[in-house]
Amino acid sequence: MPSGPLNLAVSDPYLTDNLYGVDIAWSPPASNGGSPISQYLVSVCTSILGVLGQPCYPFVTDGAETYMTITGLSPGVTYVPLVFAANQSGQFSPE
């Protein structure tokens, strides 16, 4: 199983089509779990008073890209991005 991605960075929100967007970037994990990283799962969850809530919106990268643009975010809502690595064996990094 790969370890978790490193150095998660999120841009300041920007307005596009009356909704907000952010750019998210990260570094590959320190360990790929013995098989090359094939993709990343980015889950963007709402947060209320610092507690992750629902809904969470899942996105998958195109291959092993280490960045993603997320659009369609509502103003006034706090979102928390979570990034998981998947290797070619189909194993995802732990939370």
Side-chain angles (χ1 to χ4, degrees):
M1 177 180 316
S3 58
L6 304 170
N7 305 316
L8 180 65
V10 181
S11 71
D12 289 332
Y14 53 85
L15 189 60
T16 177
D17 297 326
N18 294 324
L19 291 172
Y20 286 91
V22 294
D23 297 319
I24 302 172
W26 57 90
S27 299
S31 170
N32 64 13
S35 182
I37 299 299
S38 58
Q39 65 184 14
Y40 293 91
L41 169 68
V42 179
S43 186
V44 179
C45 301
T46 58
S47 175
I48 300 171
L49 300 174
V51 177
L52 290 182
Q54 297 294 328
C56 289
Y57 304 97
F59 302 90
V60 177
T61 62
D62 183 20
E65 294 176 343
T66 56
Y67 64 91
M68 179 171 279
T69 297
I70 306 292
T71 58
L73 303 175
S74 299
V77 176
T78 301
Y79 295 93
V80 176
L82 305 170
V83 181
F84 304 90
N87 63 19
Q88 290 181 349
S89 298
Q91 299 174 320
F92 275 90
S93 60
E95 292 184 322

